[in-house]
Amino acid sequence: MTVKQLTLPELVAACAELGVPGVGLWREPVQAYGVEATAGLVRDAGLAVTTLCRGGFLTALDPDARAAALADNRRAVDEAAALGTDTLVLVSGGLPAGSKDLGAARERIADALAELAPYAEEHGVRLAIEPLHPMYAADRCVVSTLTQALDLAERFPAHQVGVTVDTYHVWWDDRAPAEIARAGAGGRIHALQLADWTTPLPEGVLNGRGQIGDGAIDMRAWKGCAEAAGYTGPIEVELFNEGLWARDGREVLKETAERFLAHAIDE
Amino acid sequence: MTVKQLTLPELVAACAELGVPGVGLWREPVQAYGVEATAGLVRDAGLAVTTLCRGGFLTALDPDARAAALADNRRAVDEAAALGTDTLVLVSGGLPAGSKDLGAARERIADALAELAPYAEEHGVRLAIEPLHPMYAADRCVVSTLTQALDLAERFPAHQVGVTVDTYHVWWDDRAPAEIARAGAGGRIHALQLADWTTPLPEGVLNGRGQIGDGAIDMRAWKGCAEAAGYTGPIEVELFNEGLWARDGREVLKETAERFLAHAIDE
């Protein structure tokens, strides 16, 4: 998503050129290019698929909408397995229209995980619940903190369900470092994503994630926190930013790699 | 602020007409009208000033900026006392330019409170730390949860420092009900404010607070939560909303009173 202006072949070529060893993919461009075709493309380039984004949206009250969401999540698991990644990121979903009950919505996610987690395991895929910033609690994701995400994940085995830690969503939370330690101790940090916090936020607050180093988040501290918790997996940079999307994608990818080295890697 | 299009005399007249017994005032219009003149206006109308908004912005690193902030907060205490309210709401302030250290900023607030709280007590004023939604952590308020606000407040006597509970800022937080109970048990709920959460958020995310009943927040539940914690003080409705400001202020005040009765008062 950081460079969604690139086609998949362009993205794969640019990663190879820059020495980026892995890439997190989103379902929509993968489906458009073809799942098997994408799998072949990344395999031939020697590029790892770090995660597939995203499953989830499991909070519907309507039985038909709920069944459709579960079916779609099974397809997402299938796609992850076909792409050769072991991790499917889940964005839980917001409140159904007219509902004001966050707690009940979180329980419906737990119910859905009970159906999806064994299916995912059969396909060699782990589910990674991503808490989203509390500003998305109403319309996108009722799971707002790592604490809530882990409380859900820990109802299942760690090889079935863990969490995604994204600095953009957790940086404000003084409990997040302890929760990262908890997640690491349980083997439940299934994905680690970086994005910076810049202001003012744009209308709709979706596409204002800052380039690494441009904002308020201490990237080295959060990366160190995950590593201290035992995390040794890939680190993704996931930026939703209209300004970055308007630029040349290869240039943005190069800048992102440079920023990652400058702001997240120890000197 | 809910009806900032009204002048102070218009506001006072409209409150009297609607039977609204108290009003929270902001410093800027009070200073423009004159503190003593405002005090006379509300006193003559028999209208209580529930709180004065706002002091705070206590996170500066620069010594001169910090001294200026402390002096301004002493003036805010003086103004609150002159208006006859016992509560000054504090918005803590964001990260100083270039800083990424939320924890250190929160400690500077504690240091500032140690200077301000005794001064406020001498003037019969309580300080009410308001946690703001985490989406304001970088640029407006490094205190993002009731937990953090209470951790700060409890370093001081309850008659000096408590918290402001605003539904808009805490509704997403599953720990907030327990923290309201904690605040109530300690006599530290110094103000209670209602606003609803509506989406999409506007650019800058400042002026998108929803009219009571228009959004995702269960007002009756939160009001009940505060009352179960022993809160018996005034309840303010504080909306920052460009759409409401563009309308006739008296009409908005009437609508707000009706919405309050319909959505926050037990049947």
Side-chain angles (χ1 to χ4, degrees):
Chain A
M1 281 303 274
T2 303
V3 287
K4 73 170 185 176
Q5 62 271 58
L6 296 181
T7 65
L8 280 169
E10 288 171 344
L11 172 65
V12 168
C15 285
E17 194 182 316
L18 287 165
V20 175
V23 65
L25 296 177
W26 277 57
R27 293 181 70 196
E28 293 75 7
V30 167
Q31 288 169 351
Y33 191 78
V35 178
E36 289 305 328
T38 305
L41 188 70
V42 293
R43 194 169 47 234
D44 292 349
L47 194 65
V49 178
T50 48
T51 63
L52 181 65
C53 286
R54 59 195 182 182
F57 295 90
L58 299 167
T59 52
L61 280 163
D62 173 71
D64 290 344
R66 183 168 178 78
L70 287 169
D72 186 58
N73 275 272
R74 285 190 199 93
R75 280 193 297 276
V77 167
D78 298 343
E79 292 163 12
L83 291 168
T85 178
D86 63 359
T87 304
L88 175 66
V89 175
L90 298 187
V91 172
S92 298
L95 287 171
S99 169
K100 300 177 196 253
D101 192 341
L102 290 170
R106 291 183 193 123
E107 277 309 304
R108 288 198 295 282
I109 297 163
D111 294 343
L113 289 172
E115 296 194 37
L116 292 172
Y119 182 85
E121 181 182 5
E122 283 165 25
H123 292 75
V125 174
R126 313 175 300 180
L127 305 176
I129 304 168
E130 181 167 11
L132 257 55
H133 192 284
M135 68 187 177
Y136 302 115
D139 55 356
R140 191 157 296 264
C141 185
V142 297
V143 177
S144 301
T145 63
L146 275 172
T147 312
Q148 292 168 352
L150 281 165
D151 287 349
L152 282 168
E154 288 175 355
R155 302 189 193 187
F156 306 92
H159 66 275
Q160 287 185 350
V161 187
V163 299
T164 297
V165 177
D166 184 324
T167 56
Y168 190 77
H169 298 305
V170 308
W171 79 281
W172 59 272
D173 184 358
D174 56 354
R175 294 198 305 166
E179 296 298 309
I180 289 172
R182 170 186 168 195
R188 290 185 193 270
I189 306 177
H190 288 354
L192 176 60
Q193 301 179 331
L194 308 184
D196 214 337
W197 184 272
T198 51
T199 55
L201 295 167
E203 184 183 358
V205 300
L206 275 179
N207 301 327
R209 301 197 196 181
Q211 176 61 279
I212 307 301
D214 281 351
I217 303 178
D218 185 338
M219 295 297 161
R220 206 168 271 119
W222 289 103
K223 177 172 166 286
C225 188
E227 290 172 346
Y231 185 72
T232 57
I235 302 173
E236 302 175 337
V237 177
E238 186 187 56
L239 309 177
F240 292 59
N241 186 304
E242 299 285 355
L244 296 179
W245 289 335
R247 289 170 48 194
D248 176 81
R250 285 176 204 79
E251 186 193 294
V252 171
L253 193 63
K254 182 165 181 289
E255 175 187 280
T256 303
E258 290 166 355
R259 292 295 189 93
F260 177 79
L261 292 172
H263 292 276
I265 300 297
D266 292 324
E267 281 115 6
Chain B
M1 281 304 273
T2 303
V3 287
K4 72 170 185 176
Q5 61 271 56
L6 296 181
T7 65
L8 281 170
E10 288 171 344
L11 173 66
V12 168
C15 284
E17 193 181 317
L18 286 165
V20 175
V23 65
L25 295 177
W26 276 58
R27 293 182 69 197
E28 294 75 5
V30 167
Q31 288 169 350
Y33 192 78
V35 178
E36 289 305 328
T38 306
L41 188 70
V42 293
R43 194 169 48 234
D44 292 349
L47 193 65
V49 178
T50 49
T51 63
L52 181 65
C53 285
R54 57 191 187 186
F57 295 91
L58 298 167
T59 53
L61 280 163
D62 173 70
D64 290 345
R66 182 168 179 77
L70 287 168
D72 186 57
N73 276 272
R74 285 190 198 92
R75 279 192 298 276
V77 167
D78 299 343
E79 292 162 14
L83 291 168
T85 178
D86 63 359
T87 304
L88 175 65
V89 175
L90 299 185
V91 172
S92 298
L95 287 171
S99 170
K100 300 176 195 251
D101 192 341
L102 291 170
R106 292 183 193 122
E107 276 310 304
R108 289 197 295 283
I109 296 163
D111 294 344
L113 290 172
E115 295 194 36
L116 292 173
Y119 182 85
E121 181 182 6
E122 284 164 26
H123 293 75
V125 174
R126 312 175 301 179
L127 305 176
I129 304 168
E130 181 167 9
L132 257 55
H133 193 284
M135 69 186 176
Y136 302 116
D139 55 356
R140 191 157 297 263
C141 185
V142 297
V143 177
S144 302
T145 63
L146 275 173
T147 312
Q148 292 168 352
L150 281 166
D151 286 349
L152 281 168
E154 289 175 354
R155 303 190 194 188
F156 306 91
H159 64 276
Q160 287 185 350
V161 187
V163 299
T164 297
V165 177
D166 184 324
T167 57
Y168 190 78
H169 298 305
V170 308
W171 78 281
W172 59 271
D173 184 359
D174 56 355
R175 294 199 305 166
E179 296 298 308
I180 289 172
R182 171 185 167 195
R188 291 184 193 270
I189 306 178
H190 288 354
L192 176 59
Q193 302 179 332
L194 307 184
D196 214 337
W197 184 272
T198 51
T199 56
L201 294 167
E203 184 183 357
V205 300
L206 275 180
N207 301 327
R209 300 197 198 180
Q211 176 61 280
I212 307 301
D214 281 352
I217 303 178
D218 185 338
M219 294 298 161
R220 206 168 269 119
W222 288 104
K223 176 172 166 285
C225 189
E227 289 171 346
Y231 185 72
T232 57
I235 302 173
E236 302 175 337
V237 177
E238 186 187 56
L239 310 178
F240 292 59
N241 186 305
E242 298 285 354
L244 295 179
W245 290 334
R247 289 170 49 194
D248 176 80
R250 283 177 204 78
E251 186 193 293
V252 172
L253 193 63
K254 183 165 180 287
E255 175 186 280
T256 303
E258 289 165 356
R259 293 296 189 93
F260 177 79
L261 293 172
H263 293 276
I265 301 296
D266 291 325
E267 282 114 9

